[in-house]
Amino acid sequence: MPTTRTPAEAEPRTFSQALRERSWPLHDVANGAEFINALMEGRISRAGYAALVTQHLFVYEALESVAAGMRDDPIAGPFVTDELTRVPSLRRDLAFLLGSADAVDDLEPLPATRRYADRIRETAQWPGGFIAHHYTRYLGDLSGGLAVGTIVSRTYGFQLGGEGVLFYHFAQIPKPRPFKDAYRARLDAARWNPDERERVIDEVVLAYGLNTEIFLALGAVHPATPAAG
Ligand code: HEM
């Protein structure tokens, strides 16, 4: 007698597929924020863009300081690679945008950014949580982030991959697709039980929410300029 199978049962999902499927609605909320839409339409001032880069600096300082302590962790260690490191690029972008390297040391995060950075730092005790934040930022940077970099360069007249937009340029990852495929394979190979997998997915959902909060806060301080025409 034929068995009745749901489509999900017919095609077992990998962890990385389940993660993407469960978190994708939140991805759309994050990149649907007015600030991001306006950025993609060239309707955010240069000061507004510098404010976004500033928030990135605090987020990646948190992420990369936790990453440094995870290098030898059996689960998180394989995800940590120097090819992804963003803080030096962010500092150079900001020095360029603000006109001096000293100005970078005086920057303060928005409260929403502080909350995100604090949450990331808390995962120093939880490799799965760290990977959730690592995935949310770096896989995004290697996906839509590349398009954002191209548009931002055009908007402000920066050289593609040059100062002001170094953050979007992964000099050591010329081919993002195989890198992302290998990353997903590492996610699938991580020895997590079903409960831990659920916790990691929940943390990714939370990470998207924290990103959205930052975009909302940035939109309140730097509203979009009117559309041309
Ligand atoms: C203008 C803004 C954005 C655009 C246009 C965009 C676009 C995309 C696209 C097209 C993909 C699929 C790439 C692929 O399948 O290889 C993707 C993946 C991804 N994006 Fe975004 N994105 C944006 C913003 C964001 C933001 C703000 C975040 C998180 C903070 C993010 C996180 C991710 C992640 C984690 C993935 C990988 C999903 C997976 O395959 O597991 N994106 N993005």
Side-chain angles (χ1 to χ4, degrees):
M1 201 171 99
T3 52
T4 318
R5 290 183 138 206
T6 64
E9 283 168 340
E11 225 177 279
R13 291 176 310 162
T14 60
F15 172 64
S16 61
Q17 284 167 343
L19 168 60
R20 183 189 167 114
E21 202 175 294
R22 285 262 306 278
S23 59
W24 201 249
L26 285 306
H27 174 273
D28 291 351
V29 173
N31 78 48
E34 167 65 11
F35 183 86
I36 295 297
N37 278 330
L39 184 73
M40 298 299 275
E41 291 169 9
R43 297 195 295 116
I44 291 295
S45 66
R46 191 177 148 134
Y49 172 64
L52 173 67
V53 183
T54 302
Q55 308 321 306
H56 282 156
L57 176 64
F58 289 100
V59 169
Y60 285 83
E61 275 181 349
L63 203 45
E64 289 172 11
S65 75
V66 178
M70 289 284 179
R71 279 183 192 279
D72 297 327
D73 182 87
I75 290 183
F79 291 85
V80 178
T81 157
D82 292 338
E83 296 161 307
L84 291 170
T85 305
R86 298 291 85 197
V87 168
S89 298
L90 285 165
R91 295 192 78 88
R92 279 181 64 194
D93 284 342
L94 281 166
F96 171 78
L97 290 164
L98 303 174
S100 88
D102 288 348
V104 181
D105 294 326
D106 297 334
L107 292 168
E108 292 284 341
L110 288 167
T113 306
R114 206 182 285 280
R115 282 194 292 277
Y116 187 14
D118 285 350
R119 179 72 187 189
I120 291 171
R121 285 184 205 281
E122 282 168 25
T123 67
Q125 307 305 322
W126 175 30
F130 161 72
I131 293 169
H133 288 283
H134 192 272
Y135 159 85
T136 308
R137 284 304 333 180
Y138 294 115
L139 241 60
D141 298 334
L142 288 167
S143 305
L146 302 177
V148 178
T150 305
I151 288 172
V152 165
S153 306
R154 202 181 304 143
T155 301
Y156 306 106
F158 302 152
Q159 197 191 327
L160 198 62
E163 284 184 314
V165 284
L166 288 167
F167 168 74
Y168 298 101
H169 180 63
F170 288 83
Q172 296 173 62
I173 309 180
K175 290 190 176 155
R177 184 179 284 267
F179 184 95
K180 289 193 294 183
D181 287 347
Y183 192 102
R184 291 191 190 101
R186 279 197 289 277
L187 284 172
D188 293 334
R191 290 192 308 277
W192 288 323
N193 63 32
D195 282 354
E196 179 67 355
R197 288 184 165 192
E198 281 300 299
R199 281 183 78 205
V200 172
I201 293 176
D202 286 347
E203 191 68 19
V204 169
V205 167
L206 184 87
Y208 275 121
L210 290 164
N211 278 279
T212 305
E213 292 296 321
I214 294 176
F215 301 146
L216 295 178
L218 281 169
V221 186
H222 298 280
T225 55

